[in-house]
């Protein structure tokens, strides 16, 4: 059995966001979390979790140390919530609660970068072990609490500014078309992640633009002429990703 004092050593100054739609489970687990964490915010669905995440960011100018979320929730499920949180903070520590019938969701979550899953019904020793592991990581990489740098160093003299969606070479702005900006916004939302043609097409649909696979290739070809060599990588049959100097 885990020692509470050992857990508290890592968790007592940390914050956690907990998303679970089952009322009794959310309430009982929240009470347990309050014994260990400095701040515990709990919500009943994915949409509320995303809103609370953004509110916390505005309130504190930082991110939650840990997000604990169920997969199957109303409004926004755990997969979509994870994806949207990673777009805001690619370094966010997340733990996913997974029932046996959630297997169809696990591969997308693994592809998003989730490392820790806790099975439902919850074994609280297993949950505390996962929380301890994440809390140790939060202490090892305190930068995860700070806002992620908006500037991506693509080469010694080329930077993409995510906030302004602008590309600079030697301090001078490089012109990007609207379609190129959307493409760079997507790929830079999580540096090193591979985005498939389907991911890319979905992004353009979200902003009410249309881009088919044939035109994705043309767009990549034109964009490469404006970017440093090897900073926009194609993985045959899989998709595309950004390679940056300041990539973790």
């Amino acid at each position: 059995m885990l020692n509470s004092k050992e857990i508290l050593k890592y968790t007592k100054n940390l914050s956690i966001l907990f998303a679970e739609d089952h009322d009794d489970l959310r309430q009982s687990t929240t009470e347990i979390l309050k014994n260990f964490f400095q701040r515990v915010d709990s919500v009943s669905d994915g949409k509320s979790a995303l809103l609370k995440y953004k509110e916390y960011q505005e309130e504190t100018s930082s991110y939650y140390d840990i997000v604990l979320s169920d997969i199957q929730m109303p409004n926004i499920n755990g997969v979509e919530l994870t994806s949207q949180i990673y777009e805001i903070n690619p370094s966010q520590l997340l733990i996913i609660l997974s029932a046996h019938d959630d297997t169809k969701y696990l591969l997308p979550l693994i592809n998003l970068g989730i490392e820790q899953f806790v099975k439902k019904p919850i074994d609280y020793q297993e949950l505390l072990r996962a929380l301890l592991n994440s809390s140790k990581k939060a202490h090892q990489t305190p930068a995860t609490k700070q806002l992620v740098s908006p500037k991506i160093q693509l080469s010694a003299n080329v930077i993409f500014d995510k906030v302004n969606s602008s590309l600079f070479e030697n301090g001078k702005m490089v012109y990007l078309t609207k379609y190129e900006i959307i493409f760079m916004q997507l790929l830079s939302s999580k540096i090193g992640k591979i985005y498939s043609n389907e991911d890319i097409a979905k992004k353009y649909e979200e902003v009410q633009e249309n881009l088919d696979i044939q035109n994705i290739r043309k767009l990549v070809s034109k964009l490469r002429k404006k970017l440093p060599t090897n900073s926009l990588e194609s993985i045959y049959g899989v998709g595309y990703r950004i390679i940056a100097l300041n990539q973790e």
Side-chain angles (χ1 to χ4, degrees):
M1 183 175 291
L2 290 172
N3 187 307
S4 296
K5 288 184 179 179
E6 181 187 1
I7 300 171
L8 273 168
K9 183 171 85 172
Y10 293 98
T11 61
K12 63 182 179 181
N13 295 320
L14 301 185
S15 60
I16 186 168
L17 173 63
F18 176 40
E20 166 61 58
D21 63 318
H22 190 284
D23 291 341
D24 290 341
L25 178 58
R26 185 179 66 258
Q27 291 167 10
S28 59
T29 305
T30 296
E31 291 307 309
I32 291 173
L33 295 173
K34 286 180 178 178
N35 291 325
F36 295 98
F37 289 87
Q38 183 180 65
R39 174 165 174 173
V40 179
D41 290 329
S42 60
V43 293
S44 60
D45 62 80
K47 184 177 180 180
S48 298
L50 189 59
L51 288 172
K52 180 62 72 174
Y53 190 87
K54 293 177 179 178
E55 286 174 6
Y56 183 88
Q57 179 186 345
E58 292 177 2
E59 174 191 339
T60 65
S61 295
S62 63
Y63 301 117
Y64 286 99
D65 294 287
I66 298 172
V67 174
L68 174 65
S69 174
D70 188 19
I71 291 182
Q72 296 190 40
M73 296 185 293
N75 300 318
I76 298 176
N77 66 31
V79 178
E80 184 61 27
L81 174 63
T82 298
S83 178
Q84 293 197 44
I85 284 178
Y86 275 157
E87 286 187 12
I88 299 170
N89 176 18
S91 300
Q92 180 63 57
L93 294 169
L94 283 120
I95 301 171
I96 295 296
L97 300 175
S98 166
H100 291 294
D101 57 355
D102 288 336
T103 52
K104 66 178 180 180
Y105 297 110
L106 296 186
L107 183 58
L109 284 164
I110 291 169
N111 288 337
L112 284 170
I114 292 293
E115 296 178 359
Q116 294 203 81
F117 296 90
V118 173
K119 292 180 182 178
K120 296 176 71 177
I122 296 175
D123 178 327
Y124 282 99
Q125 283 294 306
E126 183 184 356
L127 174 60
L128 290 176
R129 192 172 293 109
L131 290 169
L132 176 59
N133 290 338
S134 290
S135 298
K136 286 180 177 179
K137 287 184 180 179
H139 281 274
Q140 290 166 358
T141 55
T144 56
K145 291 190 70 175
Q146 301 170 357
L147 297 182
V148 175
S149 172
K151 294 183 179 179
I152 299 168
Q153 195 82 38
L154 298 174
S155 72
N157 60 342
V158 178
I159 291 172
F160 181 68
D161 186 332
K162 292 168 61 176
V163 173
N164 299 304
S165 298
S166 301
L167 183 69
F168 294 91
E169 183 174 6
N170 294 318
K172 295 182 178 180
M173 186 180 291
V174 178
Y175 173 75
L176 295 177
T177 66
K178 178 172 70 172
Y179 273 60
E180 289 170 343
I181 288 172
I182 296 169
F183 193 84
M184 288 297 294
Q185 286 173 336
L186 174 63
L187 268 65
S188 66
S189 62
K190 190 172 184 184
I191 299 300
K193 177 184 173 182
I194 301 170
Y195 290 87
S196 66
N197 286 328
E198 291 74 19
D199 294 329
I200 295 166
K202 181 182 177 182
K203 175 65 177 179
Y204 282 84
E205 287 177 7
E206 288 174 356
V207 295
Q208 299 181 333
E209 299 289 350
N210 184 46
L211 188 69
D212 58 28
I213 294 176
Q214 179 94 12
N215 286 321
I216 290 175
R217 293 187 188 128
K218 291 179 181 177
L219 176 64
V220 168
S221 178
K222 291 180 179 179
L223 186 54
R224 277 206 172 107
K225 296 175 183 178
K226 301 179 181 182
L227 297 175
T229 305
N230 300 325
S231 62
L232 177 51
E233 184 179 19
S234 300
I235 293 84
Y236 182 77
V238 181
Y240 304 91
R241 66 179 175 184
I242 287 289
I243 304 295
L245 294 183
N246 55 350
Q247 180 176 342
E248 295 184 354

